[in-house]
Amino acid sequence: MAVLRRDIRGFSLTRAQTAGDDAADPAATDAAVGPPAAEAGADAAATGAAEAADAADAPPPPGPPAEAAGPRVLGAAFFDLDNTVMRGASIFHMARGLYARRFFDKRDIMRFGWQQARFRLGGENMGHVGDAQETALSFVKGHSIDEVTALGEEIFDEYMADKIWPGTRALAQMHLDAGRQVWLVTAAPIEIATTIAGRLGLTGALGTVSETRDGFYTGRLVGELLHGDAKAEAVRGLAAREHLDLADCSAYSDSSNDIPMLSLVGDACAVNPDAKLRRHAREHGWRVKDYRTGRKAARIGIPAAAGLGAVAGALAAGTAVRRRTALS
C-alpha cells in the first residue's frame, strides 16, 4: 500500500505540473500576437495567473480509495512453536539428534530429558527455556553454521516431523490457502525455526539468534531470547516491515507467556493451553483449540513419562547410530 500511495501522490503532482504548463501556453501565444492584441493578451494572462493562484490555494481533489487502486494487503498468522505446532520442546529434539552424532554425552542428554519432562509438565517457564538454550549453545560452540544447518535438516526428519500437531498444521495451511503469510515466532534458535518453517511451507520464522564469528558459533546469544514481551516486539516489527494490519492478523500459542503477542492481534487462539492461558482466553473471548488426547493425562501423567521415554529413545538412537558408524 505504501507504493500505491507514493504512486498516487506522484500522479497528482505530475497532473498539477502539467496543468501549470498548459496554463502558461496561452499566455505565451497571446504575447506573441501582434501589437493590436497585446493589451488583451496581458489581461488574459493576468486573469489566468489569478485563477492559477486560487487553484493552488484550493485543497487537492480526493484520490481514489487505496483498495480501489490495488489489491488489499492481507493479514498474517503467527504461531508459537513448542507445544503449539510441535509436541514438546524443539530444542530437546535437536539435542537428541546431536547426541546421536556425539556432540555430547549421556549426562547431558539426561539433563535435557529432565528439562523436557519439566517443560511438558509445567508448561513454558523462562528459566527452563533459558537453561535449555544455554546448554544447546554450549553444544554447538565451535561448530560451523553450515554443519549445524545441515544437521538440523536431518534431525527434523528423524525426531521432529512426527511431532507436528496435525490440527495446528491444518490451521496454518488454512491461512496459507487464504493467501495470508504464516510465521513461526519462537524462542528456539532461528536455525531450527527456519528449518521447520521451510519444511511446513510457511512464509518464514522469527527465532533466537546465536552469535557467530567467521562462520562458527561462539556459544553466546545476539540480544535476548525471543520470549514473552520480546516476541510481541518482534511481531510488531515484522508487521511494520510487511505492512500488516495487526487487527487483521491471527496468533496461536500454548503458553501464558505469549499473552503479549496474542493480545496484539484481532484473532487470538490458545492451542493446547496451560491453565493460566486457558483462563485468560475464556475471560477475553479468545478461541481455544486442544489437540491433546486425555487432557488431564496430558498435563499430569504423560509429560514426565514422555520426557523419560525420550531420554531412553535418545540413548538408544545414539547407540544405534554409533554402532552403524563403527560398522561402516
Side-chain angles (χ1 to χ4, degrees):
M1 292 179 69
V3 173
L4 287 174
R5 284 196 294 270
R6 282 197 294 271
D7 288 344
I8 291 169
R9 286 197 297 268
F11 172 76
S12 299
L13 178 59
T14 303
R15 183 172 59 188
Q17 290 172 338
T18 302
D21 292 340
D22 291 341
D25 288 339
T29 303
D30 289 341
V33 176
E39 185 174 344
D43 290 341
T47 301
E51 291 176 352
D54 291 340
D57 292 335
E67 291 190 4
R72 183 171 67 90
V73 175
L74 295 174
F78 309 105
F79 284 80
D80 171 54
L81 175 57
D82 297 341
N83 278 349
T84 303
V85 172
M86 176 180 292
R87 292 193 302 274
S90 55
I91 190 70
F92 173 72
H93 300 315
M94 183 73 176
R96 293 175 65 190
L98 293 177
Y99 170 76
R101 290 160 175 81
R102 300 184 180 184
F103 271 59
F104 47 87
D105 58 25
K106 291 181 181 179
R107 180 181 300 177
D108 293 319
I109 195 63
M110 288 295 292
R111 179 152 52 99
F112 253 114
W114 281 115
Q115 289 170 346
Q116 166 79 341
R118 189 170 49 177
F119 173 64
R120 294 188 67 181
L121 179 62
E124 230 174 77
N125 174 283
M126 187 62 179
H128 300 169
V129 174
D131 289 345
Q133 289 284 44
E134 184 178 345
T135 304
L137 285 171
S138 68
F139 295 154
V140 300
K141 181 179 179 179
H143 292 272
S144 72
I145 298 172
D146 291 342
E147 178 187 12
V148 173
T149 300
L151 288 176
E153 296 282 348
E154 296 176 8
I155 292 170
F156 176 85
D157 292 331
E158 295 170 7
Y159 296 100
M160 300 183 188
D162 63 345
K163 304 297 189 301
I164 303 298
W165 289 104
T168 312
R169 178 70 185 89
L171 289 173
Q173 190 61 49
M174 175 189 70
H175 287 286
L176 291 170
D177 291 344
R180 298 164 74 87
Q181 297 183 19
V182 178
W183 293 82
L184 286 183
V185 186
T186 175
I190 187 61
E191 293 82 1
I192 295 177
T194 300
T195 295
I196 295 171
R199 290 303 188 91
L200 298 182
L202 309 184
T203 307
L206 302 177
T208 298
V209 179
S210 303
E211 182 184 75
T212 60
R213 185 174 299 162
D214 299 325
F216 292 83
Y217 291 99
T218 66
R220 294 186 293 271
L221 289 180
V222 175
E224 60 181 340
L225 286 172
L226 197 65
H227 190 269
D229 290 333
K231 275 191 182 182
E233 288 303 315
V235 167
R236 283 194 190 95
L238 177 65
R241 291 193 300 274
E242 297 292 325
H243 310 291
L244 301 170
D245 179 4
L246 287 172
D248 191 33
C249 291
S250 302
Y252 300 82
S253 178
D254 72 294
S255 173
S256 57
N257 291 311
D258 286 336
I259 287 175
M261 178 181 75
L262 294 167
S263 300
L264 287 178
V265 300
D267 173 40
C269 182
V271 177
N272 306 327
D274 60 33
K276 184 177 178 181
L277 178 57
R278 185 180 293 275
R279 287 194 303 270
H280 190 92
R282 286 173 177 167
E283 292 169 359
H284 291 78
W286 294 351
R287 291 183 295 133
V288 176
K289 300 284 187 181
D290 202 324
Y291 300 117
R292 298 167 294 190
T293 57
R295 190 173 304 157
K296 185 175 181 181
R299 287 206 304 264
I300 300 174
I302 292 176
L308 296 176
V311 173
L315 294 174
T319 301
V321 168
R322 291 169 190 178
R323 187 174 298 142
R324 287 198 302 270
T325 303
L327 293 173
S328 60

